[in-house]
Structure formats: C-alpha cells, structure tokens
Amino acid sequence: MKVKSGLMLREIAGEWVVVPLGARVVELNGIITLTESGAFLWRLLEKGAEENELTAALLKEYDIDEATARSDIGRFLDTIRQNSLCEAEVAKEAGEVK
Amino acid sequence: MSGGWAKIYQNIINKSIIEGAPTAGFFELTSRCNFHCKMCYVCSMPEDRSYLQNELTTQQWVELGRQARDEGLLFLTLSGGEIFMRKDFFDIYEPLSEMGFNITLFTNGSLIDAEKARRLGERPPSKVSITLYGACPETYGRVTGHPEGFDKVINAIKLLLAENIKVELKTTAIKDNYREFHDIYEIADGLGLTLGVVNYVAPRREGCGTDPENNRLDPIELARYEKMLQDFRLKHTDMKKLKKVLKISVDEDVMTEKTIGDAINKLLETKKTDCVFNCTATRCAFWLSWDGKLTPCGLLTEPSVDVKKHGFLESWKHLKSAGLDVPVCNECNSCQYRKRCMTCPARLKVETGRFDRPAPYLCELSKARAELEVIY
C-alpha cells in the first residue's frame, strides 16, 4: 500500500502530524496526528511497503510479538483506507478478480 | 491515528509552549488596504510608495516560510492590511501551501472575484476568515469608506462557499455598526457560518487617517454590548440548529483563544515561567510584519527583531529572550477586577506606552463588566 502524495509527515514539538499540501486540502482539510510507531509505518507507506514488509520492520524496530504487530498494522491500514489516505489499490484488486 | 480538531490543536499548542517552538505565526503580507476603516490599527494607502518599497518581496516571504517551517511553524495565518492588495499574493500563497502548513487567510473579502475564488479552490486554505463591517452598504460606507464593499464581500463569501472553501465570519464592533449586530448575525446564520466578535479595538499602530480611539465603543457601551451578546448566546444555546451554525466568540483568535489561556494557566501551575504574556505570544507564536520585523503580536512594534538581518531562527530566539524582559504590571495583577479584565502586556503598551501601567480604558471596561455581570 502506498499513501497518497501531497500528505506531509511532520514532527511538531514532539508530536507527529500529517498535513495535506496544496490541492490535497480539497479532500482532507485538517491535520492527522500519529503515534511514533504510526509515523514509523507512515514513512514506509510513503515508499509503498506491503503488509509483510511493515510487519518485519515493526518487529525489528520495536519489542513486540508478531501477532500483536500484525493486528496493530491491520487496524492502522484499515484506518488509512477508511479515510482514503492511500492510493487506489485497483491493479491488485483487478488481479485478484482474474 | 486520532481526530478531533480542537483536541489536536490544543495538544500541539501545549507541547509547543513547553518546547518554545514557533508553531503558530502571522505573516502580515502588507499594511496597505483598499478599505479605510475608521478603527483600523494598521492601514496605509493602497499605492503608498514608501510602504510598497519596504514590503518584503515575494521571494523573501517564500524563503521565510521555508525557514519557519523548518523550525516547526504549523499554523500560519496570512494577514494584512488586505492580503489581496498584493499583486503577487498567489505567488506567495501557492508555494506556502505546499510547505506543510495549516493556513488561514484574514481578508476583508472585497477583492475576491470569481477567478481568485477559483484559484483558491484549487489549493484551498484551511479557512478564510472574513470581517463583516456592517449589514448594509450604508454602514460599510460609514465604517470602511466603501459602500459598494458590502455587496462585493457578500458575493465573495458565496463564491468561496461555492468552491467548498471553509469560511468564518467576524465582526468588529464600533460606534458606527454595533447596533447592527442582529442583522450581521442574520447574514451569518443565513449563510450557515459561524460569527466571531472582535470586541477590543486597539489604538493605531501605524498607517494614516484612521482614529480607532474615537470610533471604538466607550467602556460602558462595550460592556453593554458584551452583556447583550451574553444574553443572546444564552437565549439560543438550547436551540440545536442555531448552536450548530452560530458560535459567537468574543475576542478569540489563534493567539488568545480561551482554550490556550487555560492551557497556559495549567502550565503555569506546574512550571515556573518568567514570561508575562498570558497568551501564546513569544511562547510558541509570533507576528512577522510587512517590513520584516518579528514581534510578539500584531499590536506591538517592540520588542522586535529584523528577520532580514538575522533570518528566522535567530530572530525567533531573540524574540523569545526579549519576551522574558517585558515587565509585569503588578497593579493589574493585584486588581480586584483582574478576572473580568482583558489586560495583557500588548494592550497595556498600546494604550499607555508602557507594559506595566494600567490602561484606563481597560480598567473602566472591567468595572463596567462587573456592574453588568458580564462573564468574561
């Protein structure tokens, strides 16, 4: 999954926030706050990381077991999808239909 | 991932105050204005060359935006004068809109035509805040000198809303318009917008031809006006629809919102500070004037640091340090009316010329508020 372009991750006074840039304000007028681990995942999603990559990275970075990591990542990705913060996953879905 | 704008905003401001990070700032792009409001604290003529020559350039504003962003600026308000007086407004705004700010525009609205609204709609600010100076052309004529401004502003609001741009309305109460509050409210309500009330009119900072002190409400008139607002608000709080569309906020802006005042008070209980500003000024907020002076807020010309000479970061450090040298007004702090008073270092300075001298206008207002039981 890849988060949309035009969403800037910033650290403000120790808080992680995502701010929409330019035309992206049309879709998202406001600010999203992230935890430190959320920001860690967001940076990977900017590069288009898949769920397994996110899990591996989280396990390497944080003292957490795999089941918890997968569960947390699943919820995080769901939230991103629900808020339309990721690029459309059309190609993958089309592949699955075939 | 969490939502809730007020909570997010307050949390970031609280942390910024502790860190001393410049999270909230005003860029005063120009002091020039097409209106000439009687009560304006900063108003120079539209084509005044002495002002034009000293305004920061397009490139300077964009570069200062980058520098401020790198130091943590998040909540950026573009203000004036009238921001659309600058022919290069979009050359400044569009690069800033790509830097990661939450941008608010302060404007009188009269210069926003369909093309400007369309262009703003392509990369919208978080909010456009428009001041209504009256509810009809006649009042606009008396207050701003431009009766035709009323229709232009109403048209601009509709154009912005048609572009799905968030708009908030404010009104500044002076002798010439305060009796029109209910009509102004009806306009805001009809458009489904919130209405803020600017109750304090400061003496002139700079500019020409305006006379705030003789056009603002006298203390007793202002206290009565606030009492009327208080009663009006109480009367409507149980009406769901009105509560949703109308928020009468008095004397609140990004630097002085009640929530921030509360946050600072909580911080003061746990952390000693020598800063006498009871808002975010010099703690995590700044004002950058049209000619490049970094100051605590728009009312003040000192302390000030020249950003053209020092750059943003050094200027911010100087300003924070200078803010600590602003003396406290002990008389105000021990006054029995303190809780009803809008005293602050900036208002004392512009009213009396000193940071530590009580201002008769504010003293009389707080006494009148006490007599009328205005809750402030």
Side-chain angles (χ1 to χ4, degrees):
Chain A
M1 183 194 288
K2 191 171 186 180
V3 289
K4 286 177 177 173
S5 60
L7 296 171
M8 182 187 278
L9 178 66
R10 299 188 61 193
E11 187 181 11
I12 307 290
E15 286 283 296
W16 288 100
V17 298
V18 174
V19 188
L21 307 178
R24 200 59 83 188
V25 180
V26 174
E27 301 162 41
L28 174 72
N29 186 358
I31 289 172
I32 300 161
T33 58
L34 298 175
T35 60
E36 191 182 326
S37 54
F40 176 77
L41 294 174
W42 186 276
R43 278 194 294 270
L44 296 171
L45 288 168
E46 286 176 333
K47 297 171 194 159
E50 295 303 327
E51 202 159 336
N52 284 339
E53 293 173 62
L54 296 175
T55 306
L58 205 62
L59 289 172
K60 192 176 174 189
E61 188 71 18
Y62 293 92
D63 185 15
I64 187 174
D65 66 79
E66 185 170 345
T68 307
R70 286 194 180 279
S71 167
D72 287 353
I73 288 168
R75 279 205 305 275
F76 186 70
L77 296 182
D78 283 346
T79 308
I80 285 178
R81 286 192 190 97
Q82 284 160 14
N83 288 282
S84 305
L85 301 175
C86 55
E87 289 178 356
E89 296 168 288
V90 177
K92 188 181 170 189
E93 284 169 11
E96 283 171 354
V97 170
K98 282 181 183 176
Chain B
M1 201 179 294
S2 63
W5 175 247
K7 195 177 166 191
I8 290 172
Y9 181 68
Q10 191 169 336
N11 191 36
I12 292 172
I13 290 293
N14 284 355
K15 294 205 169 170
S16 302
I17 289 170
I18 294 167
E19 300 268 327
T23 304
F26 282 75
F27 282 6
E28 183 186 71
L29 300 184
T30 180
S31 64
R32 293 176 297 118
C33 189
N34 58 319
F35 282 178
H36 212 65
C37 298
K38 290 174 173 177
M39 69 296 188
C40 191
Y41 72 106
V42 50
C43 177
S44 59
M45 300 306 282
E47 300 305 329
D48 190 319
R49 283 190 180 181
S50 62
Y51 283 86
L52 269 167
Q53 284 168 354
N54 289 309
E55 282 181 357
L56 294 182
T57 64
T58 319
Q59 291 74 20
Q60 283 173 317
W61 281 117
V62 173
E63 175 55 26
L64 285 164
R66 276 195 200 98
Q67 291 180 21
R69 189 269 316 274
D70 290 346
E71 300 311 319
L73 178 61
L74 177 60
F75 302 110
L76 170 62
T77 302
L78 302 183
S79 183
E82 170 48 45
I83 54 176
F84 288 102
M85 284 301 300
R86 286 197 67 130
K87 293 184 175 74
D88 61 351
F89 171 78
F90 283 101
D91 297 327
I92 297 169
Y93 171 73
E94 288 176 352
L96 292 176
S97 80
E98 297 288 344
M99 288 186 195
F101 299 126
N102 184 271
I103 298 179
T104 297
L105 304 183
F106 278 10
T107 172
N108 66 36
S110 66
L111 298 176
I112 298 175
D113 56 17
E115 173 56 20
K116 288 193 181 75
R118 184 197 61 75
R119 203 158 166 186
L120 281 176
E122 286 177 354
R123 43 181 78 226
S126 172
K127 184 170 63 182
V128 177
S129 183
I130 293 179
T131 305
L132 280 180
Y133 295 106
C136 63
E138 292 72 26
T139 307
Y140 257 72
R142 285 199 301 276
V143 177
T144 74
H146 290 268
E148 78 286 359
F150 176 74
D151 289 332
K152 286 183 179 176
V153 172
I154 297 298
N155 188 49
I157 294 167
K158 290 176 180 172
L159 288 169
L160 292 170
L161 293 175
E163 294 288 341
N164 292 317
I165 294 169
K166 187 177 177 187
V167 178
E168 71 167 16
L169 299 180
K170 297 194 295 276
T171 186
T172 304
I174 65 167
K175 287 181 186 294
D176 274 320
N177 69 6
Y178 79 104
R179 291 185 182 87
E180 282 185 15
F181 168 76
H182 291 93
D183 295 327
I184 293 171
Y185 157 74
E186 289 296 337
I187 291 172
D189 190 28
L191 293 162
L193 300 175
T194 59
L195 178 67
V197 178
V198 177
N199 54 345
Y200 176 66
V201 172
R204 195 169 73 212
R205 192 191 80 193
E206 63 186 71
C208 56
T210 66
D211 187 5
E213 283 151 292
N214 282 313
N215 285 285
R216 66 184 177 183
L217 301 180
D218 66 42
I220 294 171
E221 282 175 325
L222 181 52
R224 285 182 182 146
Y225 179 80
E226 291 173 343
K227 176 71 173 168
M228 179 276 294
L229 289 179
Q230 185 177 304
D231 293 344
F232 185 81
R233 185 163 35 190
L234 287 172
K235 188 179 153 193
H236 288 95
T237 45
D238 58 347
M239 295 171 68
K240 274 189 180 174
K241 178 178 168 283
L242 286 178
K243 197 176 174 187
K244 198 178 278 183
V245 299
L246 180 72
K247 176 197 167 208
I248 303 171
S249 51
V250 178
D251 189 37
E252 289 184 9
D253 60 35
V254 73
M255 295 177 95
T256 60
E257 280 185 45
K258 287 272 194 307
T259 50
I260 294 170
D262 291 345
I264 289 174
N265 287 335
K266 279 179 191 165
L267 285 170
L268 290 176
E269 286 169 12
T270 55
K271 187 187 177 202
K272 283 194 172 181
T273 174
D274 294 325
C275 182
V276 298
F277 285 96
N278 49 3
C279 63
T280 53
T282 74
R283 296 175 186 276
C284 73
F286 63 84
W287 187 280
L288 184 51
S289 70
W290 58 276
D291 55 350
K293 303 289 193 301
L294 199 71
T295 64
C297 76
L299 298 184
L300 291 171
T301 55
E302 62 174 293
S304 103
V305 191
D306 188 348
V307 290
K308 287 180 290 189
K309 191 173 173 186
H310 299 285
F312 181 80
L313 176 57
E314 283 308 307
S315 298
W316 171 244
K317 286 180 181 171
H318 285 312
L319 185 70
K320 275 200 296 185
S321 173
L324 297 174
D325 294 332
V326 172
V328 66
C329 179
N330 291 318
E331 209 173 323
C332 284
N333 276 0
S334 59
C335 177
Q336 63 173 309
Y337 299 107
R338 177 69 182 84
K339 285 189 174 175
R340 293 184 189 270
C341 187
M342 60 167 87
T343 181
C344 78
R347 288 178 180 138
L348 296 183
K349 176 71 175 170
V350 295
E351 293 281 345
T352 72
R354 292 178 59 108
F355 287 111
D356 54 359
R357 179 179 292 164
Y361 181 82
L362 302 180
C363 296
E364 288 175 38
L365 174 63
S366 57
K367 284 175 194 166
R369 283 173 167 176
E371 283 168 21
L372 293 172
E373 297 184 330
V374 176
I375 300 165
Y376 181 71

